Amino acid sequence: MELLLYRWSTLVQVTSDLMIALFFVVLSRSVGRSELRAWVGGWMANLVALAITVGFWLLQPRANDFFAVVTFGYTFAKNLFIVLLVCGVARFAGRDARRIPWMPLIAGTALLSLVVAAAVPSIDVLGTVESLTIGLGLGVGTVFILVARPPAYGWLAAGFAVRSLLATGEGTVFAMQVHSGSTTKSPALAEFVAAHSSFDTGAEWMMALGCVLVLYRTIQQELVRSNGELQSARDELQALLDRDQLTGVFNRRALPAILRTSQVYGATILFFDLDDFKAVNDNHGHHVGDECLKRFARALQESFRSGDHVVRYAGDEFIVVAPGIHAADVAACIELVRGHLRFTPAGNPQIDFSVGIAQLSADDDPEAALRAADEAMYRDKAA
């Protein structure tokens, strides 16, 4: 009865782990994540360990040397399963694969397996040693998960913890079996030992689910981060497109959006035009004309409020859109502009300008208000 129960339990775990291993192989090939390689290797190693177990009870070898070889293969594959799972957690916690000491870990796992194979005389002792080793390894893995805190680590930590507790319990039961001897074995303990693989199956599905959730949340966070970076790049590009390269103020492309936003609460539109600017370019050169444009743009920015919008409309024409400003403040700002322009650097011509003013209310047509300011500017220039 115990043998049948053991074989049924083992076949259940083999079938389950085969499904998990195949799932991770397909998942790794589908998403192409290098972090999954350790988990794929871990579940494949676990499957190899179970295959060795099935092969052992099918062949029932008698030779002690063959038992030592089987013991080494089983313990090495099982311990490698734990090591690779923890390394997979480290990868998803942001550790560089090149900084993980793969060769020392594999060599240490092989050395530990050799020691166990040389020292273990029976299956019950092997069950005791290996179950307690698994319990300790997964317990350390649980602590590592809680410290490293990879994305959505809750289910993964729970799966590690449950599997660690089960392995520790199984090791304890195996130890009690070894201590009691073959004549006084408890039937209940014997049945638990025979069926323990089926209990492990549920915990391993928890671990697999935890792995998938960590992968899903990692990809989700990367997509959110990438979307944020794309949005920032889009905003920077939009800012470059909406800025005049010479003066650094807004260009004509940005004006419609500024007018729509400003007219909600009402705004004043000021249309500036430099007087005799063609003569500046003709007499002093275009490089001096460019400096005059930059000086005038700085004067506008320094004279108006930080919330007002300065726009280079075309050539030597500038527009200021000042939301919610009073008429007296508009006049004061214009005088500030004139004051800034009185201080002319040596060798640069004096800058004079004409300005037209129009009001933009919530019910007005922005284009009509802009034309009204333009016409007012021309009347000021004619005067």
Side-chain angles (χ1 to χ4, degrees):
M1 179 62 182
E2 292 177 15
L3 181 59
L4 291 175
L5 184 59
Y6 170 75
R7 291 181 175 179
W8 170 83
S9 177
T10 302
L11 285 175
V12 168
Q13 190 176 19
V14 169
T15 304
S16 174
D17 285 352
L18 177 61
M19 294 172 61
I20 293 175
L22 290 177
F23 169 76
F24 274 96
V25 169
V26 173
L27 181 64
S28 177
R29 293 178 65 86
S30 300
V31 300
R33 303 285 304 205
S34 60
E35 299 96 325
L36 278 173
R37 294 172 187 168
W39 281 346
V40 171
W43 288 106
M44 294 299 293
N46 191 43
L47 189 62
V48 169
L50 292 172
I52 292 173
T53 302
V54 173
F56 181 80
W57 57 255
L58 284 176
L59 298 175
Q60 293 292 315
R62 300 295 181 183
N64 290 334
D65 292 343
F66 191 79
F67 178 74
V69 172
V70 170
T71 299
F72 170 78
Y74 172 78
T75 54
F76 178 70
K78 205 70 175 176
N79 294 337
L80 190 62
F81 164 61
I82 300 169
V83 170
L84 290 176
L85 280 190
V86 175
C87 289
V89 174
R91 291 288 285 113
F92 275 98
R95 306 292 175 87
D96 190 343
R98 292 171 294 183
R99 299 181 62 183
I100 298 176
W102 296 103
M103 293 308 297
L105 287 173
I106 294 174
T109 303
L111 180 60
L112 175 63
S113 302
L114 281 174
V115 172
V116 172
V120 167
S122 65
I123 293 178
D124 285 344
V125 176
L126 174 61
T128 302
V129 173
E130 188 56 29
S131 294
L132 292 177
T133 302
I134 293 172
L136 177 62
L138 291 176
V140 172
T142 304
V143 175
F144 178 75
I145 292 171
L146 296 176
V147 172
R149 300 172 70 88
Y153 65 91
W155 272 98
L156 187 60
F160 267 64
V162 171
R163 185 66 179 87
S164 174
L165 291 174
L166 284 173
T168 303
E170 292 156 8
T172 303
V173 172
F174 272 117
M176 294 170 63
Q177 293 277 62
V178 172
H179 180 72
S180 61
S182 59
T183 57
T184 57
K185 285 184 177 180
S186 167
L189 293 180
E191 291 178 1
F192 175 81
V193 169
H196 76 275
S197 293
S198 60
F199 303 140
D200 297 341
T201 300
E204 288 174 356
W205 275 106
M206 287 182 64
M207 296 166 66
L209 174 62
C211 292
V212 173
L213 290 177
V214 169
L215 171 65
Y216 165 76
R217 185 58 62 85
T218 300
I219 294 175
Q220 183 187 46
Q221 289 182 351
E222 289 177 355
L223 288 174
V224 171
R225 186 164 54 249
S226 297
N227 185 60
E229 292 173 355
L230 287 173
Q231 185 64 38
S232 298
R234 176 184 173 277
D235 293 342
E236 291 176 4
L237 181 60
Q238 187 66 45
L240 290 174
L241 291 174
D242 290 345
R243 290 285 176 177
D244 177 57
Q245 293 185 355
L246 177 64
T247 61
V249 299
F250 289 109
N251 59 25
R252 188 168 183 169
R253 176 190 178 92
L255 183 58
I258 291 173
L259 292 173
R260 286 195 303 270
T261 304
S262 301
Q263 78 173 135
V264 175
Y265 300 104
T268 298
I269 298 176
L270 296 95
F271 204 116
F272 291 87
D273 181 83
L274 301 189
D275 295 335
D276 299 321
F277 184 70
K278 184 178 183 300
V280 173
N281 284 327
D282 293 342
N283 298 330
H284 300 275
H286 286 280
H287 65 285
V288 175
D290 289 345
E291 288 300 319
C292 290
L293 293 174
K294 289 191 281 188
R295 281 178 54 210
F296 187 70
R298 284 197 301 272
L300 291 176
Q301 290 175 310
E302 293 170 0
S303 301
F304 284 86
R305 303 168 302 177
S306 59
D308 298 334
H309 307 283
V310 179
V311 180
R312 185 185 179 192
Y313 189 68
D316 60 337
E317 296 177 334
F318 289 80
I319 291 173
V320 174
V321 181
I325 192 171
H326 297 292
D329 294 330
V330 171
C333 289
I334 293 173
E335 288 305 313
L336 280 174
V337 175
R338 297 188 193 280
H340 283 299
L341 296 178
R342 288 193 188 99
F343 301 97
T344 304
N348 286 346
Q350 179 67 39
I351 300 175
D352 294 316
F353 62 86
S354 302
V355 59
I357 303 172
Q359 298 300 318
L360 175 64
S361 65
D363 299 327
D364 290 338
D365 178 13
E367 290 297 328
L370 191 61
R371 285 194 300 271
D374 185 21
E375 293 168 359
M377 181 271 296
Y378 278 109
R379 288 196 297 271
D380 184 56
K381 186 180 291 287

